[in-house]
Amino acid sequence: MIAAGTYTQTEIHSQPDAWRQTLGKLREQHSSLRQFYTAGQYESVLFTGCGSTYYLALAAASLFQQITGTPARGLPASEVWLNPAAAYPAKQRTLLVAISRSGETTETLHAVDSFHQQANGAVLTLSCYPDKALATAGDYNLVLEAGREDSVAQTRAWSVLYLGVVGLILAANGDEAAYEALNRLPGAGEQILQQQLEKAQQLGRSTQLDRFYFLGSGARYGIASELSLKMKEMSLTHSEPFHFMEFRHGPMSMVTPGALIFALLSDAQREHEMAVVNEMRALGGQVITLGEQDADITFQSGVSEPLRNVLYLPFGQMMAFARSLSKGLNPDRPTNLETVVRLSNGVSAG
Ligand code: F1P
């Protein structure tokens, strides 16, 4: 029998290698992706997915609009499928970017089909398995096989697909030179995985903590949401994500000595973010800060702010993993969850 957590552990710790492979592949496809994107003359971009990949869509939309200046939003695939009029303007040129690790999630496949039938635009798919339905369903299909996984909760897949979004942004902007900086990410990721493992385990295993709040602004809100989901799926612990400044507007009522405030600090809004963090510390909450420098966990990557976001992931993933094992759970097989949600006539086929 395979020990609990074997798959997830391997997937978390092999991320830097997977990032290297993925960055190489994205660079190879830079020109064709750029050609596809510019030919479409899109007025807006709609990112979609389910669960983890919906949170990725949120991060992607924020980052895409911030860097390219083209309007972008992120929605669950069920909304694109079932509520198309509210999801995108039928007459405008829209690019739908459908993201799925498995390439088999029913809602995501339905979103692509209905968009093809009703929208004025094209579909780009981002997935990990070349032989699954989504990998041939788009007008451009980007398959990042380094993200394939054996466990249910996404870790390596999420960071690999996130880099796929960064590749799309660089293609949209015609910025191939940025790959030089991105190539520093795997080394920085290795440092975090090696040097911060103990700290992540210590926090994850803490019996004093009973609730986790992940705070992030901009694209980091999607990342905070994904890390919060990891904590729920793997360790069955109460956990929620918030935009930094939103935390004061009610949620801070929940701060006790058993609360961990997990702060994904930016450089640009650091002063405002640290003010929230310091107030929560004063209320008795525990705090861990992550950032390029001057934080509890530092990246020291030398990569510019919008491009280095993937580095927030490993520490939070290791923390959720350690908590899962310390509670006697199996991080590879979260309670009640399957790898893929398949629907038949709108209800779960599983
Ligand atoms: C999406 C997803 C996962 C979740 C679970 C069910 O899958 O919601 O995020 O962890 O395994 O499916 P996918 O479309 O990205 O494969």
Side-chain angles (χ1 to χ4, degrees):
M1 208 181 97
I2 295 167
T6 304
Y7 292 129
T8 308
Q9 184 167 37
T10 306
E11 287 155 9
I12 291 174
H13 288 272
S14 62
Q15 286 178 106
D17 279 341
W19 298 350
R20 268 186 205 101
Q21 276 180 48
T22 301
L23 289 170
K25 173 153 191 173
L26 288 168
R27 197 166 186 175
E28 272 169 33
Q29 300 212 12
H30 179 81
S31 299
S32 66
L33 199 49
R34 173 152 180 76
Q35 217 173 359
F36 166 76
Y37 181 78
T38 49
Q41 309 236 311
Y42 305 109
E43 291 162 271
S44 66
V45 178
L46 174 56
F47 291 88
T48 198
C50 293
S52 280
T53 40
Y54 161 55
Y55 296 136
L56 179 45
L58 288 182
S62 177
L63 196 68
F64 192 95
Q65 182 167 322
Q66 182 187 340
I67 299 183
T68 67
T70 299
R73 69 192 290 217
L75 283 175
S78 52
E79 291 297 308
V80 179
W81 166 34
L82 299 172
N83 210 353
Y88 52 87
K91 294 206 175 90
Q92 257 187 26
R93 290 286 300 160
T94 307
L95 175 66
L96 178 71
V97 181
I99 313 172
S100 168
R101 171 182 64 180
S102 64
E104 292 190 292
T105 299
T106 307
E107 288 132 285
T108 308
L109 293 171
H110 282 347
V112 168
D113 281 352
S114 82
F115 185 88
H116 263 144
Q117 282 162 28
Q118 301 175 46
N120 173 18
V123 176
L124 185 150
T125 70
L126 199 46
S127 61
C128 300
Y129 296 84
D131 55 335
K132 301 299 182 196
L134 193 71
T136 50
D139 302 288
Y140 191 107
N141 301 295
L142 194 49
V143 183
L144 301 175
E145 293 183 66
R148 289 177 298 176
E149 289 180 317
D150 292 307
S151 59
V152 173
Q154 301 192 13
T155 52
R156 184 174 66 199
W158 207 93
S159 61
V160 160
L161 291 166
Y162 185 91
L163 289 181
V165 169
V166 173
L168 170 64
I169 292 170
L170 298 185
N173 266 10
D175 184 7
E176 195 179 350
Y179 279 99
E180 297 306 322
L182 287 179
N183 287 337
R184 288 202 283 271
L185 290 174
E190 267 153 11
Q191 294 274 315
I192 298 165
L193 285 160
Q194 284 159 19
Q195 293 174 5
Q196 307 298 348
L197 174 64
E198 218 172 298
K199 178 89 188 151
Q201 287 175 334
Q202 193 194 328
L203 273 178
R205 290 172 186 158
S206 166
T207 49
Q208 230 201 324
L209 295 173
D210 64 0
R211 60 198 71 184
F212 290 74
Y213 298 114
F214 293 85
L215 307 189
S217 307
R220 287 169 301 279
Y221 175 71
I223 296 174
S225 303
E226 164 61 8
L227 288 177
S228 173
L229 183 67
K230 291 307 86 155
M231 192 48 90
K232 283 193 185 108
E233 288 178 328
M234 286 197 222
S235 83
L236 307 181
T237 304
H238 172 80
S239 155
E240 282 187 274
F242 293 97
H243 295 92
F244 266 95
M245 311 284 275
E246 277 298 297
F247 199 65
R248 286 197 188 96
H249 296 274
M252 72 176 192
S253 306
M254 298 286 287
V255 171
T256 65
L260 181 72
I261 312 297
F262 188 105
L264 284 69
L265 292 177
S266 65
D267 290 344
Q269 294 93 34
R270 170 175 285 252
E271 207 184 315
H272 294 290
E273 294 168 350
M274 278 309 293
V276 175
V277 163
N278 289 332
E279 282 168 42
M280 298 316 132
R281 212 191 306 259
L283 290 175
Q286 297 191 43
V287 170
I288 180 103
T289 56
L290 284 77
E292 177 68 5
Q293 57 214 6
D294 298 328
D296 300 322
I297 307 300
T298 58
F299 308 150
Q300 299 174 38
S301 67
V303 182
S304 68
E305 175 140 315
L307 296 183
R308 65 172 179 247
N309 282 329
V310 81
L311 296 174
Y312 290 97
L313 290 160
F315 187 83
Q317 295 165 340
M318 291 192 292
M319 191 176 77
F321 178 85
R323 190 164 189 85
S324 177
L325 287 182
S326 74
K327 289 179 77 172
L329 300 166
N330 181 356
D332 291 343
R333 297 281 165 258
T335 309
N336 301 336
L337 264 192
E338 297 293 335
T339 317
V340 186
V341 176
R342 290 188 187 82
L343 304 181
S344 128
N345 297 327
V347 293
S348 175

